[in-house]
Amino acid sequence: MTTNPAGAVQVEIDGVTASPGGLRAAALGGYGHFTAMQVRGGRVRGLDRHLARLDAANREVFGAGIDAAAVTEHIRHALGDDISDASVRVYVQEADGSPAIMVTVRPPGGMPARPWKLRAVPYQRSLAHIKHTGDFGQRYYQRLAHASGFDEALLTGPDAIISEGTITNIGFFDGTEVIWPAAPALAGITMQLLEPALAEHGLSSRRGHVRLAELASFAAVFVTNARGVAPVGLVDNVGLPVDAGFIGRLADAYESVGWDSI
């Protein structure tokens, strides 16, 4: 069992190595949804939640549920017997009038532990509760943030209410409990797993509206995605405190989440 070699990308569609025609159709389509996961030792955190996400999105996007067993088998097949660690994405995209399942396998990735720098932008994703493909604004603002020296764009709505990052969820610690944005946002798998794990570590969570002007009042701010969790140290030109004790509890809670065999 090995790690997917650096730079290698494997693509299968419906369990078969993608043909040039299949790749062209996927590239030119763009209507669909997906989930992203980190695989370690042939296991993934929250496999049932990834499958539930795909099923719920498929019912909304294509009007039918999804075969969880078939998805799992496609992931296993794409990994093969020789890849144990990888970044895996499962896309369900329209192809020839019906949805097809595409699995991509790339080298594994990790979350940089250093404090992140976020650039706030006035944008909210359409149908934010779905992890859908083809959101131009999301990618545009992410590139803009990177080009100006930030790690991520922070999406905001009317009255500067914070919703999410382009590829992250964001959370706020007020010294007592964790607050997740009540604004429209994707319920990321890591966030879904982290919330009950935090409760087991004595930290309650709730939903609430948080505005940009309120950020400096929090004891800590953090982001989550499929690669893990990280503190936030800067939003625009506002420095934020990094509570090492809380970040340690956050990391411990995340590390306590079990792994599921694929």
Side-chain angles (χ1 to χ4, degrees):
M1 302 288 281
T2 63
T3 295
N4 197 26
V9 181
Q10 297 175 212
V11 181
E12 292 191 355
I13 298 177
D14 290 335
V16 178
T17 299
S19 66
L23 290 174
R24 280 195 299 272
L28 296 173
Y31 183 77
H33 60 94
F34 70 102
T35 194
M37 62 190 75
Q38 290 293 317
V39 176
R40 299 292 184 273
R43 301 175 301 160
V44 63
R45 286 186 170 108
L47 179 60
D48 59 337
R49 294 178 185 257
H50 284 286
L51 296 172
R53 162 189 276 174
L54 291 172
D55 183 71
N58 213 67
R59 291 176 186 279
E60 190 164 350
V61 173
F62 292 113
I66 203 162
D67 187 338
V71 171
T72 306
E73 177 55 35
H74 288 330
I75 298 172
R76 279 197 295 263
H77 189 271
L79 290 169
D81 296 327
D82 58 341
I83 298 176
S84 59
D85 299 345
S87 298
V88 170
R89 287 190 175 196
V90 180
Y91 294 87
V92 186
Q93 292 186 226
E94 192 170 46
D96 297 325
S98 61
I101 298 172
M102 180 170 71
V103 179
T104 67
V105 179
R106 293 181 170 85
M111 178 75 92
R114 58 173 172 73
W116 279 39
K117 297 183 296 182
L118 310 182
R119 176 174 175 173
V121 298
Y123 183 76
Q124 289 185 297
R125 295 188 308 113
S126 60
L127 297 172
H129 62 288
I130 299 177
K131 194 174 180 71
H132 54 74
T133 58
D135 192 314
F136 177 85
Q138 179 181 356
R139 182 64 176 138
Y140 171 81
Y141 282 116
Q142 183 189 55
R143 289 172 61 87
L144 196 67
H146 291 171
S148 54
F150 291 85
D151 299 294
E152 165 74 310
L154 181 61
L155 309 184
T156 65
D159 201 23
I161 291 176
I162 296 168
S163 56
E164 58 187 340
T166 61
I167 59 167
T168 56
N169 287 114
I170 188 166
F172 315 93
F173 179 56
D174 65 4
T176 302
E177 61 183 349
V178 171
I179 301 168
W180 303 99
L186 179 74
I189 302 300
T190 296
M191 186 188 82
Q192 292 183 40
L193 295 171
L194 190 57
E195 188 168 4
L198 286 172
E200 293 174 2
H201 284 71
L203 286 168
S204 60
S205 301
R206 66 177 176 87
R207 300 296 185 276
H209 286 308
V210 176
R211 294 169 174 79
L212 285 174
E214 300 167 341
L215 284 176
S217 67
F218 288 97
V221 178
F222 62 95
V223 290
T224 73
N225 66 13
R227 297 188 174 197
V229 300
V232 175
L234 185 76
V235 174
D236 294 334
N237 61 349
V238 178
L240 302 179
V242 177
D243 184 327
F246 167 73
I247 296 301
R249 293 176 71 184
L250 190 68
D252 289 343
Y254 182 62
E255 289 302 320
S256 73
V257 176
W259 293 79
D260 304 314
S261 295
I262 297 173

